Amino acid sequence: MSHSPPLPQASWSPPPPGDGSPKLRLATVWLAGCSGCHMAFLDLDEELFELAKRVDIVYSPLASDVKVYPEAVDVALVEGAVANSDNLALARSLRRRTGLVVSFGDCAISANVPGLRNLLGAPGAGSGGSAAAVLERGYVELADSQPGYPRAPGILPELLERVLPLHAVIPVDLWLPGCPPPAPRILALLQALLRGERPVQLGAAELQFG
Amino acid sequence: MSRTVVIDPVTRLEGHARITLQLDADGHLVEARFHVVEYRGFEKFCEGRPFTEMAAITARICGICPVSHLLAAAKTGDKLLAVRIPPAAAKLRRLLNLAQISQSHALSFFHLSSPDFLLGWDSDPAKRNLFGLMATDPDLARAGIRLRQFGQQIIELLGGRKIHSTWAVPGGVRSPLAPAAKIWIQERLPEAKATVSLALGIYKRLLDGPLQREQRSFGNFPSLFMGLVGPEGHWEHLEGWDGGEARGPGGAGGSGAAGGHGGLRIRAADGSLVADGLREDDYASFLAEAVEPWSYLKFPYYRSLGYPEGIYRVGPLARLNVCDRIGSPWADAELVELRQRCGPVATSSFAYHHARLVEIVACLEGIELLLQDPELEDPHVRARASLNRREAVGVSEAPRGTLFHHYRVDDNGLITRVNLIIATGQNNLAMNRTVLQIAREFIPDPVPAGMEIPEPLLNRLEAGIRCFDPCLSCSTHAAGSMPLDLELLAADGTLLAQRRRGA
Ligand code: SF4
């Protein structure tokens, strides 16, 4: 990971396991992904009980009702590519409020399957670009009634012209590949963080795509 | 001044969404809307790819129910090859789907929705979640986690991985059942059954007590219900229509069993059959979709009733409403009890939670039955053929409802056109109506100027959506009915009329 920018100072350092010590403040974030990475996180199954002793989930679409990304998050696992204006805004605000940002899964790392639409915006792929191409197909050609692009400023985000990997819009500290990264890989990463490893050294088994 | 109350994002939900309430100048509720705020556009960018890749690509629509896409893609592929898959493959696919429905329903009930019932609507939002449940009722949380794990583990034992396996392929499946896998499943089945029994007991007690108001007011209205049924009219989750002549797609007045061919059935809230024995191949003749500018999720409707009168619901509750019976003893007893509570056709969307638990019972009994079938272990699991057709429609019942894959390919098997009708989208009209009904029931009228709506009331609006367990990853990333073939268009005057009407 020589291309990694220098690690920002995380506000958190690992406490010894035990009662009363501060817990790691963990966020999980879902941008343009399929939630498979989040499902792999839930595949930690009973390990979640162990994790809960040392980690507080302070923000998560599936495991928290907190609506606003909180301040002073230690680690964020960010699933998904950056495909629309909401994704972009959330990525920027979580960067400001998080010590360590993890590109969590292949979509965050490379744009992966959501990024396939970028091909539609390639030179020679037709006019209009990739966003227009998918909107046209979805909401005009394939509508039986009331065709038209969904548009509700302030409520519906706009699609970005190119679907981007996370590191294209904010500095990223760690990459955890896989589509999704299976639960044991996620556990290995979290355990390294809980041991206080900086930078985190992941083994070859944790660094596989697909 | 009129104002808009926004819930953003809706949490404990599989996808990105907002809810808005429009209040007029006097604080009266004018409108409540469920906005889905994401779109990836699979139906366009799959073009040009080999149809054999569709399983791997479309599985990435959704990490919760990738198996549904895998199966629908494989079944569409079977039809493109024009093969009948080996019996063992058909049974293994059924096992896979039963495992997937179990794990997905366990996720919906234990991980996502039970914190509302068990910790309370008014409990601390920072703790009203799976981790809060783990802290307050660790035994129940652990049982739920292990029930989901049971389904996920079967998927891994069959397909090599829990999420985005590519085990089902056109012509069958890649590998037979390993003996060790069978033993593992058999050993864990009793625990899974005990967990769902526990959950049913807890849930029914809540229904008799504190959840009565929710059962009455969370999206309780008449609509159509659609789902697959088997040849005898029983609960079905995978096989579509099989052979023979269709029974008037879109036409009214079907009655009795599905003519021995299974297929899709549509039942009205008064119990009457609106259509029966519908072929998945004809879906575009009876389903259509509308677009609203305020959501990326389209609004499918039953074509002959028009938009939005053609509102219908799919998923666990719809499957239980359309079938005559399930076909296994415990599940059938639970179905009888559900109908005693809700009437022959349950119209409250809150009953989806109950239906999900009944379906887990059906899945576990189905898995048990399959494991007793010696043919399940037959090593012949794949039929091979080259491309024999240019167009096909595959259907399966995803945990959230009926899923259609429709491909057209060229002579080389490259996709020229793809359409996917996803379960959750078909509940869009019903989800919006549910939000409005809950808002009318729970939000004070009028809301005095300057008054904030309390958080527990807003949480109830979100919980109305959670009843449907919507998978927004799925539903917005691929939706739309593919225009019919030109010759079909020429033969079908109604379709032309509806297109013009919307334009
Ligand atoms: S990396 Fe794979 S599993 Fe994760 S969100 Fe993307 S498609 Fe889904």
Side-chain angles (χ1 to χ4, degrees), chain B residues 283-496:
Chain B
Y283 75 93
S285 72
F286 55 90
L287 302 182
E289 292 185 299
V291 177
E292 294 285 358
W294 43 268
S295 183
Y296 280 120
L297 183 51
K298 287 196 282 189
F299 293 80
Y301 56 96
Y302 183 54
R303 192 180 275 278
S304 57
L305 291 187
Y307 180 75
E309 290 74 19
I311 177 173
Y312 66 102
R313 282 176 270 186
V314 297
L317 189 64
R319 286 190 289 261
L320 295 190
N321 277 338
V322 299
C323 76
D324 299 331
R325 63 194 169 85
I326 292 177
S328 57
W330 181 17
D332 270 328
E334 294 293 346
L335 179 61
V336 166
E337 190 182 336
L338 186 139
R339 287 180 176 167
Q340 279 163 356
R341 286 172 181 274
C342 303
V345 176
T347 53
S348 169
S349 302
F350 201 72
Y352 269 95
H353 292 302
H354 194 168
R356 242 171 244 123
L357 293 176
V358 176
E359 281 204 333
I360 301 178
V361 174
C363 290
L364 298 180
E365 286 188 312
I367 290 170
E368 188 169 37
L369 217 63
L370 274 169
L371 289 183
Q372 289 161 9
D373 186 339
E375 208 170 32
L376 193 70
E377 287 161 271
D378 187 330
H380 179 50
V381 292
R382 186 167 181 178
R384 292 182 190 271
S386 50
L387 187 66
N388 284 305
R389 294 211 180 111
R390 297 290 172 271
E391 181 166 5
V393 178
V395 67
S396 73
E397 284 289 335
R400 292 154 190 79
T402 318
L403 167 67
F404 300 87
H405 277 208
H406 180 185
Y407 311 154
R408 259 181 237 159
V409 296
D410 67 12
D411 291 348
N412 298 313
L414 300 182
I415 296 277
T416 57
R417 196 84 164 162
V418 63
N419 186 38
L420 312 162
I421 302 237
I422 307 287
T424 291
Q426 299 167 77
N427 284 333
N428 199 5
L429 278 168
M431 289 191 286
N432 272 280
R433 198 176 282 190
T434 296
V435 170
L436 182 63
Q437 192 177 66
I438 298 172
R440 293 214 187 287
E441 170 83 13
F442 287 94
I443 305 290
D445 181 57
V447 180
M451 192 193 112
E452 294 279 331
I453 298 175
E455 194 277 337
L457 297 188
L458 297 180
N459 181 37
R460 278 190 171 77
L461 296 175
E462 299 182 71
I465 296 298
R466 285 182 207 119
C467 293
F468 294 88
D469 187 28
C471 182
L472 307 177
S473 312
C474 274
S475 44
T476 52
H477 299 142
S481 75
M482 197 188 293
L484 295 176
D485 283 332
L486 266 181
E487 60 266 39
L488 271 176
L489 273 174
D492 189 339
T494 18
L495 173 68
L496 286 167

Side-chain angles (χ1 to χ4, degrees), chain A residues 33-37 79-80 104-107 112-113 178-181, chain B residues 60 163-164:
Chain A
C34 77
S35 84
C37 294
E79 169 195 314
F104 178 37
D106 293 354
C107 287
N112 199 25
V113 172
C179 180
Chain B
R60 266 76 180 181
I163 298 162
H164 300 336

Side-chain angles (χ1 to χ4, degrees), chain A residues 120-129:
Chain A
L120 305 170
S127 58

Side-chain angles (χ1 to χ4, degrees), chain A residues 30-31 34 39 43 45-46 61 63 65 67 86 134 137-139 142 144-146 148 151 155 157 179, chain B residues 9 11-12 16 18 39 47 60 63 128-129 142 146 148 152 161 289 291 293 296 298 417 462 481:
Chain A
W30 181 355
L31 305 179
C34 77
M39 290 303 118
D43 283 336
D45 295 329
E46 289 167 272
D65 278 358
K67 308 285 185 205
D86 276 4
V134 292
R137 170 59 53 85
Y139 301 101
L142 291 178
D144 303 285
S145 190
Q146 308 179 178
R151 206 161 263 156
I155 295 292
C179 180
Chain B
T11 44
R12 282 183 286 133
H16 303 285
R18 297 186 171 116
Y39 179 59
E47 281 174 13
R60 266 76 180 181
R128 194 176 52 210
N129 56 47
R142 193 179 294 274
R146 285 176 63 88
R148 174 173 176 273
Q152 287 286 79
R161 54 195 288 180
E289 292 185 299
V291 177
Y296 280 120
K298 287 196 282 189
R417 196 84 164 162
E462 299 182 71
S481 75

